[in-house]
Amino acid sequence: MDSIIAYFSSIPPVQAALYAGLFTWGVTAVGAALVFFFREVNRKFLNMMLGFTGGVMIAASFWSLLQPAIDMSEGEGFVKVMPAAVGFVLGALFIFGLDKLMPHLHLNFSKSEGPKSSLHRTTLLVIAIALHNIPEGLAVGVLFGGVAYGLGDASIAGAVLLAVGIGLQNFPEGIAVAMPLRRMGLSRWKSFTYGQLSAIVEPIFAVIGAVAVGFFVPILPYALAFAAGAMIFVVIEEVIPETQAEGHSDVPILGFVIGFVVMMVLDVALG
């Protein structure tokens, strides 16, 4: 891990954000690639992995994004916490707005949202996952972008760990997209293509986030909290409900706890 952190410390933040985004995209592709070997996965296992995804995202939202946003804000009391509060709300509203403006289909294929569209259900599903991957890319990019503007070397470790955590939780997302498409009758190659394509936005928005911070340094606390609000909205609106789609189960809850603890320990101990 030390050598990886040292390497990311030696390259420009935008380049580091691009590499981190490509990594998270690649892990999604690895998850989607399971479609070449299996037609479906055990539903309990997938629910546990999705719960793990939720735990990682919630933990990362606080320790990697909200806490640094509060720490770097000036003032005391309400003044100090306001940038994080405002950014958090704006991030949640951003995803809420995208949900209303963009046609998309949920993972269970039973509920569509946004304007009515003639697009194929497969396309709508990929749009849904892509929309929900935007805050993950932004989070990585904003952290790497902030390295050059006062966060210090420790922020590089935090950014790398955030990318690793997001990569881990992208693995089941790749499965969750590719496997249903395969069951619908799509070829293995098409199922894989759509599954990995859902995360293509992550390296794009990682770069956007890193560049934006460079132009607007004072907004860094708002940007970090914005990414946190967007990520938590996705967890509550999409990830957790999907784990309970076939009835209440304790398995995804245990997965959530494991994911939360893993990300918390990594971030606090190494970040």
Short mmCIF file of all heavy atoms in Angstrom, two decimals, residues 50 53-54 57-58 88 91-108 110-114 124-125 127-133 135-136 173 228-245 256:
data_model
loop_
_atom_site.label_atom_id
_atom_site.label_comp_id
_atom_site.label_asym_id
_atom_site.label_seq_id
_atom_site.Cartn_x
_atom_site.Cartn_y
_atom_site.Cartn_z
N LEU A 50 -24.38 -6.67 -2.04
CA LEU A 50 -24.98 -5.34 -2.18
C LEU A 50 -25.05 -4.64 -0.83
O LEU A 50 -24.87 -3.42 -0.74
CB LEU A 50 -26.37 -5.46 -2.81
CG LEU A 50 -26.41 -5.82 -4.30
CD1 LEU A 50 -27.85 -6.06 -4.76
CD2 LEU A 50 -25.77 -4.72 -5.15
N THR A 53 -21.78 -3.30 -0.24
CA THR A 53 -21.65 -2.07 -1.02
C THR A 53 -22.19 -0.88 -0.25
O THR A 53 -21.55 0.18 -0.16
CB THR A 53 -22.42 -2.21 -2.35
OG1 THR A 53 -21.74 -3.13 -3.20
CG2 THR A 53 -22.56 -0.88 -3.05
N GLY A 54 -23.38 -1.05 0.33
CA GLY A 54 -23.98 0.04 1.09
C GLY A 54 -23.14 0.43 2.29
O GLY A 54 -22.97 1.62 2.58
N MET A 57 -20.07 2.44 1.16
CA MET A 57 -20.41 3.79 0.71
C MET A 57 -20.76 4.71 1.87
O MET A 57 -20.38 5.89 1.89
CB MET A 57 -21.56 3.72 -0.30
CG MET A 57 -21.18 3.09 -1.62
SD MET A 57 -22.56 2.92 -2.77
CE MET A 57 -22.81 4.63 -3.27
N ILE A 58 -21.49 4.19 2.86
CA ILE A 58 -21.85 5.01 4.02
C ILE A 58 -20.60 5.38 4.82
O ILE A 58 -20.40 6.54 5.21
CB ILE A 58 -22.86 4.28 4.91
CG1 ILE A 58 -24.20 4.09 4.19
CG2 ILE A 58 -23.06 5.05 6.22
CD1 ILE A 58 -24.97 5.37 3.94
N PHE A 88 -23.78 18.65 1.47
CA PHE A 88 -24.45 17.35 1.60
C PHE A 88 -25.86 17.39 1.02
O PHE A 88 -26.26 16.51 0.26
CB PHE A 88 -24.49 16.97 3.08
CG PHE A 88 -25.00 15.59 3.36
CD1 PHE A 88 -24.14 14.50 3.35
CD2 PHE A 88 -26.35 15.36 3.61
CE1 PHE A 88 -24.61 13.22 3.60
CE2 PHE A 88 -26.82 14.08 3.86
CZ PHE A 88 -25.96 13.01 3.85
N GLY A 91 -25.80 17.67 -2.78
CA GLY A 91 -25.46 16.40 -3.41
C GLY A 91 -26.64 15.46 -3.50
O GLY A 91 -26.87 14.82 -4.54
N ALA A 92 -27.40 15.37 -2.41
CA ALA A 92 -28.60 14.52 -2.43
C ALA A 92 -29.62 15.05 -3.42
O ALA A 92 -30.23 14.27 -4.18
CB ALA A 92 -29.20 14.46 -1.02
N LEU A 93 -29.81 16.37 -3.46
CA LEU A 93 -30.76 16.96 -4.40
C LEU A 93 -30.32 16.77 -5.85
O LEU A 93 -31.15 16.64 -6.75
CB LEU A 93 -30.93 18.45 -4.10
CG LEU A 93 -31.67 18.79 -2.80
CD1 LEU A 93 -31.70 20.31 -2.60
CD2 LEU A 93 -33.09 18.23 -2.81
N PHE A 94 -29.01 16.74 -6.07
CA PHE A 94 -28.49 16.52 -7.42
C PHE A 94 -28.92 15.16 -7.97
O PHE A 94 -29.43 15.05 -9.08
CB PHE A 94 -26.96 16.62 -7.39
CG PHE A 94 -26.29 16.26 -8.68
CD1 PHE A 94 -26.39 17.10 -9.78
CD2 PHE A 94 -25.55 15.10 -8.79
CE1 PHE A 94 -25.76 16.77 -10.99
CE2 PHE A 94 -24.92 14.75 -9.97
CZ PHE A 94 -25.03 15.59 -11.08
N ILE A 95 -28.73 14.11 -7.17
CA ILE A 95 -29.14 12.77 -7.61
C ILE A 95 -30.66 12.67 -7.70
O ILE A 95 -31.21 12.04 -8.61
CB ILE A 95 -28.58 11.69 -6.67
CG1 ILE A 95 -27.04 11.74 -6.67
CG2 ILE A 95 -29.04 10.30 -7.10
CD1 ILE A 95 -26.42 11.47 -8.02
N PHE A 96 -31.35 13.31 -6.76
CA PHE A 96 -32.82 13.34 -6.80
C PHE A 96 -33.29 13.96 -8.11
O PHE A 96 -34.20 13.45 -8.77
CB PHE A 96 -33.34 14.15 -5.61
CG PHE A 96 -34.83 14.35 -5.61
CD1 PHE A 96 -35.69 13.34 -5.19
CD2 PHE A 96 -35.39 15.55 -6.05
CE1 PHE A 96 -37.07 13.52 -5.20
CE2 PHE A 96 -36.76 15.75 -6.06
CZ PHE A 96 -37.60 14.72 -5.63
N GLY A 97 -32.66 15.06 -8.50
CA GLY A 97 -33.03 15.71 -9.75
C GLY A 97 -32.75 14.84 -10.96
O GLY A 97 -33.57 14.76 -11.89
N LEU A 98 -31.58 14.18 -10.97
CA LEU A 98 -31.26 13.29 -12.09
C LEU A 98 -32.27 12.15 -12.19
O LEU A 98 -32.66 11.73 -13.28
CB LEU A 98 -29.85 12.72 -11.92
CG LEU A 98 -28.68 13.69 -12.15
CD1 LEU A 98 -27.36 12.95 -11.96
CD2 LEU A 98 -28.74 14.30 -13.54
N ASP A 99 -32.68 11.63 -11.04
CA ASP A 99 -33.67 10.55 -11.02
C ASP A 99 -34.98 10.99 -11.68
O ASP A 99 -35.66 10.19 -12.33
CB ASP A 99 -33.95 10.11 -9.58
CG ASP A 99 -33.02 8.98 -9.14
OD1 ASP A 99 -32.24 8.51 -9.98
OD2 ASP A 99 -33.07 8.59 -7.97
N LYS A 100 -35.34 12.25 -11.48
CA LYS A 100 -36.59 12.75 -12.03
C LYS A 100 -36.48 13.15 -13.50
O LYS A 100 -37.46 13.08 -14.24
CB LYS A 100 -37.08 13.96 -11.21
CG LYS A 100 -37.35 13.65 -9.74
CD LYS A 100 -38.36 12.53 -9.58
CE LYS A 100 -38.60 12.21 -8.10
NZ LYS A 100 -39.50 11.03 -7.94
N LEU A 101 -35.30 13.55 -13.92
CA LEU A 101 -35.12 14.09 -15.27
C LEU A 101 -34.69 13.04 -16.29
O LEU A 101 -34.95 13.20 -17.48
CB LEU A 101 -34.09 15.22 -15.25
CG LEU A 101 -34.48 16.48 -14.47
CD1 LEU A 101 -33.30 17.45 -14.43
CD2 LEU A 101 -35.69 17.14 -15.10
N MET A 102 -34.02 11.97 -15.82
CA MET A 102 -33.48 10.96 -16.73
C MET A 102 -34.29 9.67 -16.64
O MET A 102 -34.51 9.15 -15.54
CB MET A 102 -32.02 10.66 -16.38
CG MET A 102 -31.09 11.85 -16.56
SD MET A 102 -30.83 12.27 -18.30
CE MET A 102 -29.89 10.84 -18.83
N PRO A 103 -34.75 9.14 -17.78
CA PRO A 103 -35.46 7.85 -17.74
C PRO A 103 -34.48 6.73 -17.37
O PRO A 103 -33.37 6.66 -17.89
CB PRO A 103 -35.97 7.69 -19.17
CG PRO A 103 -35.03 8.50 -20.01
CD PRO A 103 -34.61 9.67 -19.14
N HIS A 104 -34.89 5.86 -16.44
CA HIS A 104 -34.02 4.76 -16.04
C HIS A 104 -34.84 3.67 -15.40
O HIS A 104 -35.99 3.87 -15.01
CB HIS A 104 -32.92 5.25 -15.09
CG HIS A 104 -33.44 5.87 -13.83
ND1 HIS A 104 -33.92 7.14 -13.77
CD2 HIS A 104 -33.55 5.38 -12.56
CE1 HIS A 104 -34.32 7.44 -12.55
NE2 HIS A 104 -34.09 6.37 -11.78
N LEU A 105 -34.23 2.51 -15.27
CA LEU A 105 -34.90 1.32 -14.73
C LEU A 105 -34.11 0.80 -13.55
O LEU A 105 -32.88 0.77 -13.57
CB LEU A 105 -34.97 0.24 -15.82
CG LEU A 105 -35.80 -1.01 -15.53
CD1 LEU A 105 -37.28 -0.67 -15.47
CD2 LEU A 105 -35.55 -2.06 -16.62
N HIS A 106 -34.82 0.38 -12.50
CA HIS A 106 -34.14 -0.12 -11.31
C HIS A 106 -33.62 -1.54 -11.53
O HIS A 106 -34.03 -2.23 -12.47
CB HIS A 106 -35.08 -0.09 -10.11
CG HIS A 106 -35.27 1.29 -9.55
ND1 HIS A 106 -34.79 1.66 -8.32
CD2 HIS A 106 -35.86 2.40 -10.07
CE1 HIS A 106 -35.07 2.93 -8.10
NE2 HIS A 106 -35.74 3.39 -9.15
N LEU A 107 -32.72 -1.97 -10.64
CA LEU A 107 -32.06 -3.26 -10.80
C LEU A 107 -33.02 -4.43 -10.90
O LEU A 107 -32.74 -5.42 -11.55
CB LEU A 107 -31.09 -3.49 -9.64
CG LEU A 107 -29.76 -2.73 -9.70
CD1 LEU A 107 -28.99 -2.96 -8.41
CD2 LEU A 107 -28.95 -3.17 -10.89
N ASN A 108 -34.16 -4.32 -10.20
CA ASN A 108 -35.10 -5.45 -10.21
C ASN A 108 -35.98 -5.49 -11.45
O ASN A 108 -36.85 -6.35 -11.58
CB ASN A 108 -35.97 -5.43 -8.95
CG ASN A 108 -36.71 -4.10 -8.80
OD1 ASN A 108 -36.95 -3.38 -9.76
ND2 ASN A 108 -37.08 -3.78 -7.56
N SER A 110 -38.49 -4.03 -12.28
CA SER A 110 -39.93 -3.92 -12.05
C SER A 110 -40.40 -2.49 -11.89
O SER A 110 -41.59 -2.23 -11.87
CB SER A 110 -40.32 -4.72 -10.79
OG SER A 110 -39.71 -4.15 -9.65
N LYS A 111 -39.48 -1.55 -11.77
CA LYS A 111 -39.87 -0.17 -11.52
C LYS A 111 -39.01 0.78 -12.33
O LYS A 111 -37.80 0.79 -12.22
CB LYS A 111 -39.74 0.17 -10.03
CG LYS A 111 -40.18 1.58 -9.68
CD LYS A 111 -39.96 1.85 -8.21
CE LYS A 111 -40.36 3.28 -7.84
NZ LYS A 111 -40.10 3.59 -6.41
N SER A 112 -39.66 1.57 -13.17
CA SER A 112 -38.95 2.57 -13.94
C SER A 112 -39.24 3.95 -13.36
O SER A 112 -40.29 4.16 -12.75
CB SER A 112 -39.36 2.53 -15.42
OG SER A 112 -40.75 2.78 -15.56
N GLU A 113 -38.31 4.87 -13.55
CA GLU A 113 -38.48 6.22 -13.04
C GLU A 113 -38.09 7.22 -14.11
O GLU A 113 -37.49 6.88 -15.12
CB GLU A 113 -37.61 6.43 -11.78
CG GLU A 113 -38.12 5.71 -10.55
CD GLU A 113 -37.35 6.11 -9.30
OE1 GLU A 113 -36.32 6.80 -9.43
OE2 GLU A 113 -37.78 5.74 -8.21
N GLY A 114 -38.45 8.48 -13.85
CA GLY A 114 -38.13 9.54 -14.78
C GLY A 114 -39.16 9.64 -15.89
O GLY A 114 -40.20 8.97 -15.87
N LEU A 124 -32.12 1.46 -20.26
CA LEU A 124 -32.61 2.17 -19.07
C LEU A 124 -31.91 1.70 -17.81
O LEU A 124 -31.62 2.49 -16.91
CB LEU A 124 -34.12 1.97 -18.93
CG LEU A 124 -34.99 2.62 -20.02
CD1 LEU A 124 -36.46 2.27 -19.80
CD2 LEU A 124 -34.82 4.14 -20.02
N LEU A 125 -31.62 0.40 -17.74
CA LEU A 125 -30.90 -0.13 -16.57
C LEU A 125 -29.49 0.42 -16.50
O LEU A 125 -29.02 0.84 -15.44
CB LEU A 125 -30.87 -1.66 -16.61
CG LEU A 125 -30.07 -2.34 -15.49
CD1 LEU A 125 -30.69 -2.04 -14.14
CD2 LEU A 125 -29.99 -3.84 -15.72
N ILE A 127 -28.41 3.18 -17.77
CA ILE A 127 -28.51 4.61 -17.40
C ILE A 127 -28.66 4.76 -15.90
O ILE A 127 -28.03 5.63 -15.28
CB ILE A 127 -29.70 5.27 -18.13
CG1 ILE A 127 -29.40 5.39 -19.63
CG2 ILE A 127 -29.99 6.65 -17.54
CD1 ILE A 127 -30.57 5.91 -20.44
N ALA A 128 -29.48 3.89 -15.29
CA ALA A 128 -29.71 3.97 -13.84
C ALA A 128 -28.41 3.77 -13.08
O ALA A 128 -28.07 4.55 -12.18
CB ALA A 128 -30.74 2.93 -13.42
N ILE A 129 -27.66 2.73 -13.41
CA ILE A 129 -26.42 2.45 -12.69
C ILE A 129 -25.38 3.54 -12.98
O ILE A 129 -24.64 3.95 -12.08
CB ILE A 129 -25.86 1.06 -13.08
CG1 ILE A 129 -26.92 -0.02 -12.81
CG2 ILE A 129 -24.61 0.76 -12.29
CD1 ILE A 129 -27.37 -0.10 -11.38
N ALA A 130 -25.36 4.02 -14.22
CA ALA A 130 -24.41 5.08 -14.56
C ALA A 130 -24.70 6.34 -13.74
O ALA A 130 -23.78 6.99 -13.23
CB ALA A 130 -24.48 5.39 -16.05
N LEU A 131 -25.98 6.71 -13.62
CA LEU A 131 -26.35 7.88 -12.82
C LEU A 131 -25.87 7.73 -11.38
O LEU A 131 -25.36 8.68 -10.78
CB LEU A 131 -27.87 8.07 -12.84
CG LEU A 131 -28.52 8.55 -14.14
CD1 LEU A 131 -30.04 8.61 -13.97
CD2 LEU A 131 -27.99 9.91 -14.53
N HIS A 132 -26.02 6.54 -10.84
CA HIS A 132 -25.67 6.32 -9.45
C HIS A 132 -24.16 6.14 -9.24
O HIS A 132 -23.69 6.15 -8.10
CB HIS A 132 -26.44 5.11 -8.91
CG HIS A 132 -27.91 5.35 -8.82
ND1 HIS A 132 -28.83 4.34 -8.66
CD2 HIS A 132 -28.63 6.50 -8.89
CE1 HIS A 132 -30.06 4.86 -8.62
NE2 HIS A 132 -29.94 6.17 -8.77
N ASN A 133 -23.41 5.99 -10.34
CA ASN A 133 -21.96 5.92 -10.23
C ASN A 133 -21.29 7.29 -10.33
O ASN A 133 -20.10 7.43 -10.05
CB ASN A 133 -21.37 4.99 -11.30
CG ASN A 133 -21.55 3.52 -10.96
OD1 ASN A 133 -21.73 3.17 -9.80
ND2 ASN A 133 -21.50 2.66 -11.95
N PRO A 135 -21.63 10.05 -8.42
CA PRO A 135 -21.04 10.56 -7.17
C PRO A 135 -19.79 9.81 -6.74
O PRO A 135 -18.91 10.39 -6.08
CB PRO A 135 -22.17 10.40 -6.15
CG PRO A 135 -23.10 9.41 -6.73
CD PRO A 135 -23.02 9.60 -8.21
N GLU A 136 -19.68 8.55 -7.10
CA GLU A 136 -18.47 7.80 -6.74
C GLU A 136 -17.27 8.34 -7.49
O GLU A 136 -16.18 8.52 -6.91
CB GLU A 136 -18.69 6.31 -7.03
CG GLU A 136 -19.82 5.70 -6.21
CD GLU A 136 -20.16 4.28 -6.65
OE1 GLU A 136 -19.39 3.72 -7.46
OE2 GLU A 136 -21.18 3.75 -6.20
N GLU A 173 -21.87 -4.67 -8.10
CA GLU A 173 -22.69 -3.90 -9.03
C GLU A 173 -22.55 -4.44 -10.44
O GLU A 173 -23.52 -4.50 -11.20
CB GLU A 173 -22.31 -2.42 -8.98
CG GLU A 173 -22.83 -1.70 -7.75
CD GLU A 173 -22.66 -0.20 -7.84
OE1 GLU A 173 -22.15 0.28 -8.88
OE2 GLU A 173 -23.01 0.50 -6.88
N ALA A 228 -20.60 13.16 -0.76
CA ALA A 228 -21.13 12.33 0.32
C ALA A 228 -22.65 12.28 0.28
O ALA A 228 -23.25 11.20 0.40
CB ALA A 228 -20.66 12.86 1.67
N GLY A 229 -23.29 13.42 0.09
CA GLY A 229 -24.75 13.45 0.03
C GLY A 229 -25.28 12.66 -1.14
O GLY A 229 -26.28 11.93 -1.02
N ALA A 230 -24.61 12.76 -2.28
CA ALA A 230 -25.04 12.01 -3.46
C ALA A 230 -24.89 10.50 -3.23
O ALA A 230 -25.77 9.71 -3.59
CB ALA A 230 -24.22 12.45 -4.68
N MET A 231 -23.78 10.09 -2.61
CA MET A 231 -23.55 8.67 -2.37
C MET A 231 -24.57 8.09 -1.39
O MET A 231 -25.10 6.99 -1.60
CB MET A 231 -22.13 8.44 -1.86
CG MET A 231 -21.06 8.60 -2.93
SD MET A 231 -19.37 8.49 -2.30
CE MET A 231 -19.34 6.80 -1.71
N ILE A 232 -24.87 8.82 -0.34
CA ILE A 232 -25.82 8.31 0.65
C ILE A 232 -27.22 8.25 0.07
O ILE A 232 -28.00 7.33 0.35
CB ILE A 232 -25.76 9.16 1.93
CG1 ILE A 232 -24.45 8.86 2.67
CG2 ILE A 232 -26.96 8.89 2.84
CD1 ILE A 232 -24.26 9.59 3.97
N PHE A 233 -27.57 9.20 -0.79
CA PHE A 233 -28.87 9.15 -1.46
C PHE A 233 -28.99 7.87 -2.28
O PHE A 233 -30.02 7.20 -2.26
CB PHE A 233 -29.04 10.37 -2.37
CG PHE A 233 -30.41 10.48 -3.00
CD1 PHE A 233 -31.39 11.26 -2.42
CD2 PHE A 233 -30.72 9.78 -4.16
CE1 PHE A 233 -32.65 11.36 -2.98
CE2 PHE A 233 -31.98 9.86 -4.73
CZ PHE A 233 -32.95 10.66 -4.14
N VAL A 234 -27.92 7.52 -3.00
CA VAL A 234 -27.93 6.30 -3.81
C VAL A 234 -28.11 5.06 -2.94
O VAL A 234 -28.87 4.16 -3.28
CB VAL A 234 -26.62 6.21 -4.63
CG1 VAL A 234 -26.48 4.82 -5.26
CG2 VAL A 234 -26.59 7.28 -5.70
N VAL A 235 -27.41 5.02 -1.81
CA VAL A 235 -27.51 3.85 -0.92
C VAL A 235 -28.95 3.66 -0.44
O VAL A 235 -29.50 2.55 -0.48
CB VAL A 235 -26.57 4.00 0.29
CG1 VAL A 235 -26.82 2.87 1.30
CG2 VAL A 235 -25.12 3.96 -0.17
N ILE A 236 -29.57 4.74 0.00
CA ILE A 236 -30.91 4.65 0.57
C ILE A 236 -31.97 4.43 -0.50
O ILE A 236 -32.93 3.69 -0.31
CB ILE A 236 -31.22 5.92 1.40
CG1 ILE A 236 -30.27 6.02 2.58
CG2 ILE A 236 -32.67 5.89 1.91
CD1 ILE A 236 -30.39 7.31 3.35
N GLU A 237 -31.77 5.06 -1.65
CA GLU A 237 -32.79 5.01 -2.70
C GLU A 237 -32.71 3.76 -3.56
O GLU A 237 -33.72 3.26 -4.04
CB GLU A 237 -32.65 6.26 -3.59
CG GLU A 237 -33.83 6.51 -4.51
CD GLU A 237 -33.62 5.97 -5.90
OE1 GLU A 237 -32.49 5.60 -6.25
OE2 GLU A 237 -34.61 5.91 -6.67
N GLU A 238 -31.50 3.20 -3.72
CA GLU A 238 -31.34 2.10 -4.66
C GLU A 238 -30.75 0.84 -4.02
O GLU A 238 -31.34 -0.24 -4.14
CB GLU A 238 -30.43 2.55 -5.82
CG GLU A 238 -30.09 1.46 -6.82
CD GLU A 238 -31.27 1.05 -7.68
OE1 GLU A 238 -32.16 1.87 -7.90
OE2 GLU A 238 -31.32 -0.12 -8.12
N VAL A 239 -29.61 0.95 -3.36
CA VAL A 239 -28.88 -0.23 -2.92
C VAL A 239 -29.63 -1.01 -1.85
O VAL A 239 -29.87 -2.23 -1.99
CB VAL A 239 -27.48 0.15 -2.42
CG1 VAL A 239 -26.74 -1.09 -1.90
CG2 VAL A 239 -26.67 0.82 -3.53
N ILE A 240 -30.01 -0.35 -0.77
CA ILE A 240 -30.68 -1.05 0.33
C ILE A 240 -32.03 -1.63 -0.09
O ILE A 240 -32.31 -2.81 0.20
CB ILE A 240 -30.85 -0.11 1.55
CG1 ILE A 240 -29.48 0.34 2.07
CG2 ILE A 240 -31.64 -0.80 2.65
CD1 ILE A 240 -28.56 -0.79 2.46
N PRO A 241 -32.91 -0.88 -0.78
CA PRO A 241 -34.18 -1.48 -1.21
C PRO A 241 -33.98 -2.71 -2.09
O PRO A 241 -34.76 -3.67 -2.01
CB PRO A 241 -34.86 -0.35 -1.99
CG PRO A 241 -34.31 0.89 -1.39
CD PRO A 241 -32.88 0.57 -1.07
N GLU A 242 -32.95 -2.71 -2.92
CA GLU A 242 -32.71 -3.85 -3.80
C GLU A 242 -32.38 -5.10 -3.00
O GLU A 242 -32.76 -6.21 -3.38
CB GLU A 242 -31.58 -3.52 -4.78
CG GLU A 242 -31.16 -4.67 -5.68
CD GLU A 242 -32.28 -5.17 -6.57
OE1 GLU A 242 -33.24 -4.42 -6.81
OE2 GLU A 242 -32.20 -6.34 -7.02
N THR A 243 -31.70 -4.96 -1.87
CA THR A 243 -31.36 -6.13 -1.06
C THR A 243 -32.59 -6.75 -0.41
O THR A 243 -32.55 -7.91 0.00
CB THR A 243 -30.35 -5.77 0.05
OG1 THR A 243 -30.97 -4.88 1.00
CG2 THR A 243 -29.11 -5.12 -0.53
N GLN A 244 -33.67 -5.98 -0.30
CA GLN A 244 -34.89 -6.47 0.34
C GLN A 244 -36.01 -6.71 -0.68
O GLN A 244 -37.17 -6.88 -0.30
CB GLN A 244 -35.38 -5.45 1.38
CG GLN A 244 -34.34 -5.08 2.43
CD GLN A 244 -33.95 -6.26 3.31
OE1 GLN A 244 -34.77 -7.12 3.61
NE2 GLN A 244 -32.69 -6.31 3.72
N ALA A 245 -35.66 -6.73 -1.97
CA ALA A 245 -36.67 -6.84 -3.02
C ALA A 245 -37.47 -8.14 -2.95
O ALA A 245 -38.63 -8.19 -3.34
CB ALA A 245 -36.01 -6.70 -4.39
N PHE A 256 -23.80 -5.32 5.14
CA PHE A 256 -23.66 -3.88 5.36
C PHE A 256 -22.70 -3.61 6.51
O PHE A 256 -21.81 -2.76 6.40
CB PHE A 256 -25.03 -3.27 5.66
CG PHE A 256 -25.01 -1.78 5.89
CD1 PHE A 256 -25.32 -0.92 4.86
CD2 PHE A 256 -24.69 -1.25 7.12
CE1 PHE A 256 -25.31 0.45 5.05
CE2 PHE A 256 -24.66 0.11 7.34
CZ PHE A 256 -24.97 0.98 6.29
#
